[in-house]
Amino acid sequence: MVIRKKIIMKRLIGIVCALLLVAGAGAQTKVIEKSAKKVPVWMNTALDDYLVVSVTANSLAEAQTKAMAEITERIIQAVASHVTVSQKSELSEVNINGNIDSKDAYSRVSKIKSANLPFLKGISSTNIEEIYWQKVQDKSTKKEYYDYAVKYPFSQAEHQKLVAEFEALDAEKVARYKALEQKIREIESVEEIKNAVTELNTLCEYFFDEVRLSEAEGLKERYRRLYDALSVTGTFLEAGKYQCQVLLEGNPVKVSVMPKVTSNCAAQISVRPSDGMFIVSYDAIDCLPEEDNFLHVLFRIDGKKLEHRAYIKEAGGAGTSTFSVIPEGKLIFTADSVAAGTRKIFNINIRLTLNNRGGTAFGLKALELHVPDLSAPIVFDDIDAVYKTKGILQIKALAEGEFTALEKKKSVFSFVQGSMVLVNPLTGAVERVKLSLPYVTNWE
């Protein structure tokens, strides 16, 4: 009912403006030409099921364009205002002390107009039922222009139909956003990341209120950051065969692209997919035992390069080996104490989970952790610890001293970024392994 009154009020304003133009023409302007002898009745009467729009322009073509723009905006206001009010619980309205922010409402109309929504496609100049125009000259300046009015059908039934269509579309977009928000925790293939980013681009173009637009853009950025959490791991199955796969935060994910595999010594290299993984076959007949022999695995995924080096211990085709240490799970930070009323915390205990998939002993030399909650990174140098256990390992460390916690609270999708420096037992070489893991703390 409120919308109906708004529409009628706009009609009355348009009619009054038209009458003022006609009345003023006799005093300050003169009519040079007009489309009909008499001003049509519909310009002087409030009509149900019609929009009456009056504009002024320098030409008839410009006048028609301006009139259609005004009609489009009037229909958007009639349709979208109902939807946003009915969905205040969905945070699609700006409410200040119980009142709707008119500036925000105007901005929203402009965004809806640019969103190319389905119900806007039916708005056309071919639907105009009647037109009346006057070519007018200003007596003092001799400038000529057109007063242009149109009668456009817009029934209550059509209004209700468009509202229902818009509500259904809006609900569909919200549901799709929520599905993508849930899906980010259940990624099974790298292609799902790209598809989600593409779909969120579409949602960002649709959401006409700042709250949902900000949420959609934030979710899109979270999906994009998943590319940084990708890694490659693998294991030697037997002499001349190596199996590799892509991990997301330490968990296997499928990829549709084949890796490119090269070697500094092995020949006759071939790659085939196998249940989400890839089997690399090669001939190590030319690999010499006194040299570092390796396979270089390269994935190109959506513009990102993922590289992995697997060292071949076999020479001339003899022997197998493996080295694969992967950070997994959550990092756990526990401070011994927090100074009351400050952001100061003291002595942070750290627990890191590693998966020694290869089962060979390895050395941990250094650890660097960039925690979003802390103003400075945590760095451990010269650890020189050796681990021999196969499978899951718990690495515990104590960062002594005083730290400053940032006031900004981390999001549910914040990650610790960092790296480990490991000693590869197969070659004696020092390797840097990146990590990107979720985390929890005992401080706010």
Side-chain angles (χ1 to χ4, degrees):
M1 187 62 185
V2 173
I3 292 173
R4 187 64 177 168
K5 289 180 179 178
K6 287 182 178 178
I7 296 173
I8 293 173
M9 182 60 69
K10 282 184 173 287
R11 291 182 187 141
L12 292 175
I13 291 173
I15 292 169
V16 170
C17 290
L19 291 174
L20 289 174
L21 286 171
V22 173
Q28 301 176 356
T29 62
K30 66 177 180 179
V31 177
I32 300 175
E33 187 180 354
K34 53 186 177 180
S35 60
K37 291 183 178 181
K38 295 182 179 181
V39 175
V41 175
W42 49 267
M43 289 188 62
N44 305 317
T45 308
L47 301 176
D48 290 334
D49 299 332
Y50 286 94
L51 296 176
V52 175
V53 170
S54 299
V55 298
T56 299
N58 295 322
S59 68
L60 288 175
E62 180 188 352
Q64 185 182 71
T65 300
K66 291 177 70 174
M68 289 309 303
E70 175 69 14
I71 288 169
T72 300
E73 185 167 321
R74 294 265 292 274
I75 292 177
I76 288 172
Q77 290 173 331
V79 175
S81 61
H82 181 277
V83 173
T84 54
V85 169
S86 68
Q87 294 189 354
K88 282 192 292 185
S89 61
E90 295 291 342
L91 298 178
S92 59
E93 186 62 274
V94 175
N95 193 308
I96 303 176
N97 298 325
N99 298 314
I100 303 304
D101 184 349
S102 58
K103 181 179 179 181
D104 178 77
Y106 179 82
S107 174
R108 182 180 299 109
V109 166
S110 299
K111 290 179 181 178
I112 295 173
K113 191 173 181 179
S114 64
N116 196 27
L117 298 177
F119 80 86
L120 297 181
K121 296 178 181 179
I123 302 174
S124 170
S125 59
T126 59
N127 297 332
I128 295 176
E129 190 167 301
E130 291 188 55
I131 298 173
Y132 177 77
W133 56 265
Q134 295 181 157
K135 187 175 182 181
V136 181
Q137 184 185 72
D138 188 294
K139 292 181 179 179
S140 59
T141 65
K142 305 301 181 181
K143 182 180 179 180
E144 297 178 352
Y145 56 90
Y146 288 87
D147 289 332
Y148 188 90
V150 299
K151 176 184 175 186
Y152 192 92
F154 187 56
S155 67
Q156 183 65 17
E158 178 68 9
H159 174 221
Q160 292 174 351
K161 174 177 172 290
L162 296 182
V163 167
E165 290 176 357
F166 194 13
E167 285 180 333
L169 177 63
D170 197 73
E172 177 187 331
K173 299 296 185 182
V174 171
R176 193 57 202 144
Y177 167 81
K178 290 181 178 179
L180 291 171
E181 187 178 38
Q182 177 64 32
K183 183 64 178 177
I184 199 170
R185 304 177 184 90
E186 304 167 354
I187 298 296
E188 297 178 355
S189 71
V190 175
E191 284 67 30
E192 291 175 354
I193 301 175
K194 181 178 180 180
N195 293 339
V197 170
T198 299
E199 191 164 0
L200 283 163
N201 281 330
T202 302
L203 289 177
C204 287
E205 291 176 0
Y206 167 78
F207 285 135
F208 43 84
D209 56 288
E210 293 300 329
V211 174
R212 294 187 302 180
L213 175 59
S214 176
E215 290 175 345
E217 288 178 338
L219 183 58
K220 180 171 65 175
E221 181 59 27
R222 287 164 59 187
Y223 268 100
R224 283 176 172 166
R225 289 207 304 267
L226 290 179
Y227 287 112
D228 296 329
L230 293 173
S231 61
V232 182
T233 188
T235 183
F236 288 91
L237 302 177
E238 58 185 66
K241 283 193 176 181
Y242 181 74
Q243 175 181 276
C244 63
Q245 65 183 137
V246 175
L247 304 178
L248 174 60
E249 300 168 6
N251 299 312
V253 287
K254 296 179 180 179
V255 294
S256 60
V257 296
M258 295 278 286
K260 180 181 179 181
V261 182
T262 57
S263 174
N264 66 331
C265 66
Q268 299 180 18
I269 298 173
S270 63
V271 184
R272 63 178 177 86
S274 175
D275 192 26
M277 296 176 284
F278 299 90
I279 305 298
V280 181
S281 299
Y282 62 93
D283 187 344
I285 191 68
D286 294 327
C287 296
L288 302 177
E290 64 272 15
E291 295 183 355
D292 288 342
N293 305 312
F294 59 84
L295 298 171
H296 180 260
V297 182
L298 171 63
F299 285 88
R300 294 186 182 274
I301 301 175
D302 298 335
K304 180 179 178 61
K305 291 171 60 176
L306 290 178
E307 298 180 88
H308 176 68
R309 182 169 289 191
Y311 286 90
I312 305 171
K313 191 173 182 181
E314 60 198 88
T320 61
S321 184
T322 183
F323 175 65
S324 176
V325 179
I326 307 297
E328 293 184 354
K330 286 186 178 181
L331 271 163
I332 299 176
F333 297 91
T334 306
D336 284 349
S337 61
V338 179
T342 72
R343 305 299 297 176
K344 302 297 182 182
I345 56 180
F346 303 92
N347 298 339
I348 302 176
N349 296 276
I350 304 165
R351 190 171 74 186
L352 167 65
T353 301
L354 300 180
N355 189 347
N356 183 9
R357 298 190 177 195
T360 59
F362 68 94
L364 175 61
K365 290 185 66 66
L367 178 65
E368 182 176 327
L369 303 173
H370 295 263
V371 187
D373 281 16
L374 301 179
S375 60
I378 298 175
V379 180
F380 297 94
D381 291 319
D382 302 321
I383 298 175
D384 294 327
V386 177
Y387 299 90
K388 300 180 180 179
T389 304
K390 181 178 181 180
I392 301 299
L393 301 171
Q394 295 291 334
I395 307 299
K396 297 181 180 179
L398 173 63
E400 297 181 314
E402 178 183 303
F403 298 84
T404 302
L406 299 177
E407 293 185 6
K408 184 179 179 180
K409 186 175 177 62
K410 67 178 184 295
S411 71
V412 295
F413 203 74
S414 293
F415 280 79
V416 171
Q417 306 290 336
S419 63
M420 306 180 300
V421 178
L422 305 179
V423 179
N424 187 332
L426 305 180
T427 64
V430 176
E431 298 186 9
R432 183 177 297 274
V433 177
K434 292 184 179 181
L435 62 83
S436 177
L437 296 174
Y439 68 101
V440 293
T441 69
N442 71 334
W443 65 83
E444 294 297 331

